[in-house]
Amino acid sequence: MRYQGYTGKYLEVDLTTGRIETRPVEDKLAETYLGANGFGTRLLWERVGPEVDPLSPENIIVFATGPLNGTLMPNSGRMEVITKSPLTGIYGDSNAGGFLGPELKFAGVDFVVFSGRAAAPVYLRIEDGRAELRDARHLWGKDTFETEELIQKELRDPGIKVACIGPAGENLVRYACIQATMSRSFGRVGGGAVMGSKNLKALAVRGFGPVRIADPEKFYEVATRSHFGIRGNDIYPAVSRYGTPGIVSIMNGIGRFPTKNFQLGGYDQADKINAEALREQYFVKDVACYGCPVACDKIYRVDEGPYAGTEVRSFEYETLGGYGASILNPRLDSIIKAGDLCDRLGLDVISVSRAISFAMELYDRGILKKEAFDGLNPVWGNIEDALELTRRIAYKQGIGALLSQGVRRAAAEIGHGADHYAMEVKGQEIASQDGRAQQSMGLAHVTSSRGADHLKGFPTIDETGYPTEARRRYGEQYLPDMADPRSTKFKGFLIKDGEDYAAVVDAVGTCKSGGNFVLAQLYWDDVAGAVRYATGMELDADGLKVIGERIVNLQRAYNALHGISRKDDRLPKRLLTEPNYQSTKEGSVCRLEEMLPEYYNLRGWDAENGLPTVARLRQLALDDVVERLGPKLKP
Amino acid sequence: MRIQLNPEKCTGCQICEAFCSFKKERAVWPARSRISVLKWEKEGVFIPFVCQQCERAACYEVCPVGAIARNEETGAMEVDESRCLGCKMCVTACPFGGVAYDPDRGRAIKCDLCGGQPECVKMCPTGALSFEREEKNALARKRQGAERLAKYIDAIGR
Ligand code: SF4
Ligand code: SF4
């Protein structure tokens, strides 16, 4: 390969035959899709058709890095897993920080593609470009932390980076996550179940090689400027001190903290589970991902009470929302316990907690009866039974089996209007991010290629009003509306730009929180510079934007192959009709229809079918998409 | 001058390793970094570790060709690459693993304090690394010790 930044090699692993091949990464692939999710999207498009069941051997699961992973750029530790999702049945990807991505690069591998199904449990070991499949029968049934430790012991190297599944993935829970070293997870879309279906327990990586850079002087310049920029950003001290839990109070204050399964927009006990309470009572230590000056990850430990001895890492806002406000549980130590439990069992905290609040609401409304719960009492706030329900979901016991399919499938099976309480889009559960209090968030959930998601469009600058960054990025002409969370004006624009930029940020391998969105320090020019000097590609901000758009459009096209169109771009009725009441403020609903036309228009998508037009696809050099989707498309 | 290590502040980000290796090798290559962050993930303990430029340096004593010498200006013990045989005696002799071996060039490699402007210290975001005069170092250590003692006394008092 003529570009630096990449290692230029990838592994093709057929689990059915046990064959592993090392292949070159084509220049063309890097030029058109950049890396990570870009590569994965292309591979899914080419290899996994609509007829493929996500849990069959024909599905693939790709672990992919980008050209900036393992470099000098701040927070360049993030990598992607791409697969067809067993939760949504469409395009799926998930991102994790930590050290796995850089380690894969140091091991001389850009990405790994798994296909097929092993006859018995295995794990893949990679060390400096060499790879082997190893027996994992003794690891099957073990939780994620045990698995990581056992592999490190077995290979006699505590520096090995392990990504693995827990019982939930083995049992094919549709939202099982992949734990990526102790503190990080590929949380969403059910990649854990795909690994489980392939009898693939883990990936263990070690590397001692370099990541080479095309223009060291210029790259160093961009990297150091980015580091000091982030460290000098106004909100750096707060993000660094509190991490994502820091937004509990902020979100609660604006009615954007989904409570009681989205019945309310704020929680009257939020101050018991906010970042200050957490820090004061349980904080142990700051922990960073590779190359990150922010260190939003923390270790928290419970020393007293029924959960004494519990310790969590990467304990996020979402756990506080999901196992706190969403089920009306104000006990912080129990939420820490829930976080630890989900990590060990290998469950996506967002989906599983939403499944539980869904079940609690159905019980409350008499749609699910007491008998369904086998002795549990799923009333609001009963955290003990919520924890037990979490376990039963991972092991698919009793009602756990029903809920393990995700709320959409569960609601369809339950009937009796249960779907009204299933807070999902395209089959994926909505995170603690409420589109009623922040209009653009509702749009983001709907347009995201992986089903309900806040991280694809990732609107942060209108969350609470962040006019400084809005001004810096978009200029004065969109203010004040753009920074106003309740306004729908310019939100189509905000989400489109956010999605394109996020696609690129994911593709290069850096973090959205630590510099690009939450801490909105870096933007197109910075990333373009970094990619140009790291790789040696002729690329500027405009070129990068085209790649971002191409990735987003190909994901949409992939979903269109699976029947997705305008009709699926919808929110649960609750968000459109029931205001996010909270004690102090008037509620509002999400005015989705005011934003969608602007979005489609800017995308160059047809407003009727919600699909890219032929003209748009050709502009993005996606001619093969035009051919394959054929009559579905408008000119 | 010496690079003072403050492990309790270290987040394990490895920025020091990335930048050190880049400065010395022009590639991001943690395995070739002169500074290493030792990690106990489970316990959450991260300890940055780098040559402390010992007063009576074992590497210097053991080198058969006098390839290691002190830079009087910076105080660093430096490897003269043109003299180094690649015999690895220094690697073996250093009790702290402060000297490593580069198999590609067949040379010993170690921290040279970057000519008095340590890159790792410049980029470390947390203060886990600092570059200070010995006298200040000693005082700072005493203060740290005294603080611990104060807490201890306070704890018994209550
Ligand atoms: S002072 Fe320079 S050579 Fe020594 S560890 Fe730091 S960056 Fe590396
Ligand atoms: S840069 Fe500082 S905080 Fe980061 S690993 Fe090195 S010593 Fe620790």
Side-chain angles (χ1 to χ4, degrees):
Chain A
M1 188 187 220
R2 56 193 273 233
Y3 300 116
Q4 308 293 323
Y6 303 92
T7 70
K9 280 189 226 108
Y10 77 97
L11 300 177
E12 181 72 53
V13 183
D14 182 341
L15 292 162
T16 305
T17 60
R19 214 181 130 89
I20 303 171
E21 268 181 61
T22 306
R23 296 186 187 166
V25 178
E26 305 292 335
D27 291 348
K28 185 90 197 317
L29 184 70
E31 288 157 5
T32 31
Y33 292 99
L34 210 52
N37 48 318
F39 292 171
T41 303
R42 188 70 211 173
L43 287 163
L44 274 189
W45 171 260
E46 286 173 3
R47 292 173 52 174
V48 183
E51 72 289 352
V52 173
D53 178 336
L55 295 177
S56 71
E58 285 71 39
N59 194 7
I60 59 172
I61 183 162
V62 187
F63 286 75
T65 66
L68 298 183
N69 270 131
T71 67
L72 300 184
M73 277 304 276
N75 40 73
S76 56
R78 290 205 157 258
M79 70 174 290
E80 292 263 323
V81 162
I82 303 95
T83 189
K84 188 198 274 195
S85 163
L87 185 61
T88 61
I90 57 175
Y91 173 83
D93 66 21
S94 193
N95 188 291
F99 293 83
L100 187 70
E103 197 75 28
L104 202 55
K105 298 276 292 280
F106 299 139
V109 175
D110 285 326
F111 61 95
V112 186
V113 188
F114 292 98
S115 60
R117 172 185 285 152
V122 292
Y123 74 92
L124 183 77
R125 175 201 196 179
I126 302 173
E127 185 168 324
D128 278 341
R130 295 181 304 276
E132 57 166 339
L133 284 167
R134 296 174 62 96
D135 189 356
R137 277 174 299 188
H138 59 300
L139 301 172
W140 209 249
K142 297 275 190 277
D143 78 30
T144 58
F145 293 171
E146 290 168 341
T147 302
E148 175 172 354
E149 213 181 333
L150 284 167
I151 290 178
Q152 287 169 341
K153 281 214 176 106
E154 168 172 320
L155 301 176
R156 284 190 223 95
D157 182 354
I160 285 179
K161 310 293 183 291
V162 176
C164 67
I165 57 170
E170 295 172 6
N171 296 328
L172 311 183
V173 172
R174 287 185 187 269
Y175 43 77
C177 75
I178 302 166
Q179 193 68 20
T181 70
M182 276 187 81
S183 28
R184 292 280 154 181
S185 329
F186 298 97
R188 308 229 69 189
V189 312
V194 176
M195 282 179 73
S197 75
K198 298 191 169 318
N199 262 328
L200 176 63
K201 178 70 177 174
L203 175 67
V205 186
R206 192 69 161 126
F208 300 94
V211 173
R212 300 204 183 272
I213 300 296
D215 187 336
E217 274 73 36
K218 294 224 174 81
F219 182 71
Y220 178 83
E221 225 265 327
V222 177
T224 46
R225 192 178 352 107
S226 303
H227 271 275
F228 289 112
I230 287 174
R231 284 160 63 174
N233 188 291
D234 292 345
I235 67 168
Y236 171 77
V239 179
S240 182
R241 183 171 169 86
Y242 295 119
T244 58
I247 64 173
V248 166
S249 296
I250 302 171
M251 294 304 135
N252 196 55
I254 60 167
R256 196 190 163 291
F257 193 42
T259 300
K260 214 177 176 189
N261 197 38
F262 282 81
Q263 289 184 47
L264 303 164
Y267 185 31
D268 56 7
Q269 311 230 42
D271 58 346
K272 296 213 176 94
I273 59 170
N274 67 12
E276 292 76 12
L278 186 58
R279 180 129 188 146
E280 196 167 297
Q281 300 170 68
Y282 305 111
F283 175 79
V284 179
K285 195 176 191 326
D286 294 309
V287 179
C289 293
Y290 174 89
C292 179
V294 182
C296 75
D297 196 353
K298 321 278 170 210
I299 300 178
Y300 299 104
R301 188 172 52 226
V302 181
D303 287 324
E304 290 165 3
Y307 309 108
T310 308
E311 207 175 272
V312 275
R313 288 126 193 280
S314 196
F315 181 68
E316 308 287 350
Y317 166 76
E318 289 299 341
T319 322
L320 294 161
Y323 279 95
S326 194
I327 63 167
L328 299 186
N329 167 37
R331 286 194 43 198
L332 199 43
D333 58 348
S334 70
I335 305 176
I336 291 177
K337 178 71 193 177
D340 178 56
L341 189 62
C342 290
D343 281 351
R344 289 178 186 273
L345 294 171
L347 284 165
D348 173 28
V349 165
I350 296 173
S351 284
V352 70
S353 62
R354 197 65 67 231
I356 291 170
S357 66
F358 164 76
M360 284 183 171
E361 180 160 10
L362 293 186
Y363 179 66
D364 195 17
R365 294 184 185 276
I367 298 174
L368 278 177
K369 303 277 182 267
K370 191 154 187 118
E371 305 80 71
F373 290 92
D374 288 329
L376 295 182
N377 183 27
V379 290
W380 296 112
N382 183 351
I383 182 65
E384 271 312 315
D385 285 4
L387 293 173
E388 179 53 27
L389 210 43
T390 305
R391 278 183 212 102
R392 291 189 190 176
I393 286 172
Y395 290 99
K396 285 191 171 172
Q397 290 162 355
I399 192 155
L402 177 71
L403 297 173
S404 77
Q405 308 175 69
V407 296
R408 177 187 269 199
R409 282 186 172 82
E413 213 174 299
I414 296 163
H416 303 286
D419 59 337
H420 187 80
Y421 311 104
M423 303 308 293
E424 51 83 20
V425 176
K426 297 189 178 74
Q428 174 151 267
E429 289 71 17
I430 303 180
S432 289
Q433 316 275 345
D434 196 329
R436 294 172 295 190
Q438 180 194 5
Q439 296 294 320
S440 62
M441 188 52 85
L443 180 61
H445 287 318
V446 152
T447 58
S448 147
S449 57
R450 63 173 178 179
D453 185 38
H454 54 296
L455 296 166
K456 290 270 182 249
F458 211 168
T460 49
I461 63 174
D462 66 336
E463 227 164 48
T464 53
Y466 198 175
T468 343
E469 298 303 344
R471 194 168 289 122
R472 212 159 62 92
R473 287 192 168 184
Y474 306 110
E476 202 63 50
Q477 76 259 38
Y478 300 114
L479 291 171
D481 309 83
M482 174 167 289
D484 176 359
R486 303 269 174 131
S487 168
T488 53
K489 213 165 160 194
F490 306 128
K491 298 307 160 72
F493 173 79
L494 187 66
I495 293 304
K496 183 211 173 254
D497 179 66
E499 285 176 344
D500 293 347
Y501 186 52
V504 163
V505 169
D506 283 341
V508 297
T510 62
C511 176
K512 291 175 187 159
S513 271
N516 292 289
F517 284 91
V518 173
L519 214 154
Q521 176 69 24
L522 310 179
Y523 201 37
W524 289 108
D525 283 326
D526 309 279
V527 179
V531 174
R532 179 164 65 241
Y533 301 132
T535 62
M537 258 183 228
E538 294 292 331
L539 200 65
D540 56 10
D542 287 335
L544 213 52
K545 286 179 188 175
V546 172
I547 295 179
E549 281 216 69
R550 184 179 293 126
I551 295 172
V552 171
N553 276 273
L554 188 59
Q555 286 169 1
R556 183 69 171 187
Y558 185 72
N559 288 343
L561 272 186
H562 293 74
I564 295 290
S565 71
R566 171 75 176 83
K567 67 179 186 328
D568 304 287
D569 294 348
R570 48 134 208 93
L571 283 171
K573 222 192 255 151
R574 168 165 279 171
L575 300 183
L576 302 173
T577 58
E578 299 172 21
N580 57 323
Y581 287 122
Q582 46 167 352
S583 48
T584 51
K585 277 199 202 80
E586 211 183 300
S588 55
V589 296
C590 182
R591 307 192 309 278
L592 181 64
E593 292 304 322
E594 292 175 23
M595 300 178 284
L596 264 175
E598 184 197 0
Y599 174 85
Y600 291 137
N601 184 32
L602 288 169
R603 276 252 169 264
W605 291 0
D606 183 81
E608 234 170 83
N609 66 13
L611 300 183
T613 56
V614 170
R616 191 80 202 105
L617 290 168
R618 294 221 192 273
Q619 275 166 5
L620 295 169
L622 289 169
D623 296 86
D624 62 331
V625 172
V626 175
E627 259 148 60
R628 192 151 163 208
L629 287 181
K632 278 194 170 163
L633 302 174
K634 300 266 167 78
Chain B
M1 300 283 282
R2 190 173 68 104
I3 295 175
Q4 163 138 359
L5 311 168
N6 312 297
E8 63 288 348
K9 291 189 181 160
C10 178
T11 60
C13 68
Q14 293 177 243
I15 289 173
C16 52
E17 292 185 4
F19 277 85
C20 173
S21 61
F22 197 73
K23 179 143 188 171
K24 300 299 176 196
E25 309 287 341
R26 291 170 71 83
V28 189
W29 202 343
R32 291 283 165 87
S33 172
R34 279 53 166 169
I35 186 167
S36 298
V37 187
L38 306 170
K39 295 191 177 187
W40 286 263
E41 293 286 350
K42 210 168 142 200
E43 294 74 13
V45 176
F46 312 127
I47 304 182
F49 197 79
V50 66
C51 166
Q52 291 293 292
Q53 321 294 351
C54 309
E55 223 33 70
R56 285 181 50 218
C59 57
Y60 166 83
E61 307 270 346
V62 80
C63 180
V65 293
I68 296 181
R70 191 172 302 276
N71 177 325
E72 288 307 332
E73 213 176 296
T74 62
M77 296 305 278
E78 292 178 2
V79 182
D80 181 342
E81 285 212 1
S82 64
R83 287 202 195 172
C84 176
L85 303 173
C87 70
K88 299 182 223 151
M89 290 302 285
C90 53
V91 179
T92 315
C94 177
F96 306 108
V99 191
Y101 178 70
D102 169 355
D104 297 330
R105 278 179 299 179
R107 304 271 191 279
I109 52 176
K110 69 178 289 300
C111 168
D112 62 359
L113 296 179
C114 294
Q117 293 188 308
E119 182 73 8
C120 52
V121 176
K122 173 180 155 196
M123 295 312 297
C124 172
T126 64
L129 306 175
S130 51
F131 193 50
E132 300 195 20
R133 289 215 325 269
E134 292 304 333
E135 302 81 356
K136 268 180 91 179
N137 255 332
L139 259 178
R141 287 275 163 186
K142 278 179 191 144
R143 191 170 299 119
Q144 273 174 17
E147 270 166 19
R148 267 196 292 273
L149 196 62
K151 270 191 212 145
Y152 181 60
I153 293 170
D154 191 38
I156 312 175
R158 273 188 278 143

